[in-house]
Amino acid sequence: MYSILEILLGLQLAVFTKAATSGQYFITEPKDVTFKSGEHLKLPCAVGNKQGACQWTKDGFGMGINPTLPGFPRFSMGEGESECFLNIFPVLPADEGVYQCQVGAVSGASAIASAPVVISVSAEPGLPYILQAADYDVLEVLEG
């Protein structure tokens, strides 16, 4: 008959062996959210047995694996042993879209991707403004 200690050690070894051979997997995945414009948005993504590099996509476009996300000044990626969360501050209506957390493949571990999530941003009504127009541009509105 086995002692309780032997049984517990056997269970620990079985759990460790499964984790070591099961590849990368999601512990926490992002979910659809709505934020107010100007708030700090943090999308969670935690990966068990993480071996590859994290990347986020917005509307199918990969933002890169560098945690500072060059080219996206309000975005950053938190990375730790299992963390791959995405920070956006301040979040703006232009940030609305479909996001996905991805972890790249390495030798012995396949790439994984979370389910796509929708980020919605609400904003208080304000004065309308026209993008791509300078203060000195003249706009002509025609009837009809």
Side-chain angles (χ1 to χ4, degrees):
M1 182 167 284
Y2 294 104
S3 71
I4 291 181
L5 180 58
E6 290 172 319
I7 293 171
L8 289 176
L9 287 174
L11 287 174
Q12 271 187 319
L13 181 60
V15 169
F16 176 76
T17 302
K18 182 181 185 313
T21 60
S22 64
Q24 304 178 113
Y25 59 94
F26 286 106
I27 298 169
T28 306
E29 292 189 62
K31 298 186 184 316
D32 294 350
V33 292
T34 299
F35 273 76
K36 288 184 182 175
S37 184
E39 290 185 333
H40 180 185
L41 170 64
K42 182 176 179 180
L43 288 177
C45 182
V47 179
N49 199 26
K50 185 177 93 155
Q51 299 170 47
C54 292
Q55 170 179 261
W56 281 84
T57 63
K58 179 187 180 208
D59 298 327
F61 177 76
M63 292 190 263
I65 61 171
N66 184 331
T68 61
L69 297 174
F72 302 92
R74 294 176 298 101
F75 290 55
S76 66
M77 190 168 46
E79 251 194 296
E81 191 172 313
S82 66
E83 294 295 322
C84 297
F85 57 85
L86 179 69
N87 286 308
I88 306 174
F89 182 76
V91 67
L92 300 175
D95 300 326
E96 287 189 323
V98 178
Y99 289 78
Q100 187 177 49
C101 178
Q102 301 177 346
V103 183
V106 295
S107 180
S110 299
I112 58 172
S114 70
V117 295
V118 176
I119 304 305
S120 302
V121 180
S122 63
E124 295 293 323
L127 294 174
Y129 63 94
I130 299 172
L131 294 176
Q132 300 177 350
D135 292 336
Y136 54 83
D137 287 341
V138 176
L139 300 176
E140 191 176 327
V141 178
L142 302 175
E143 189 175 346

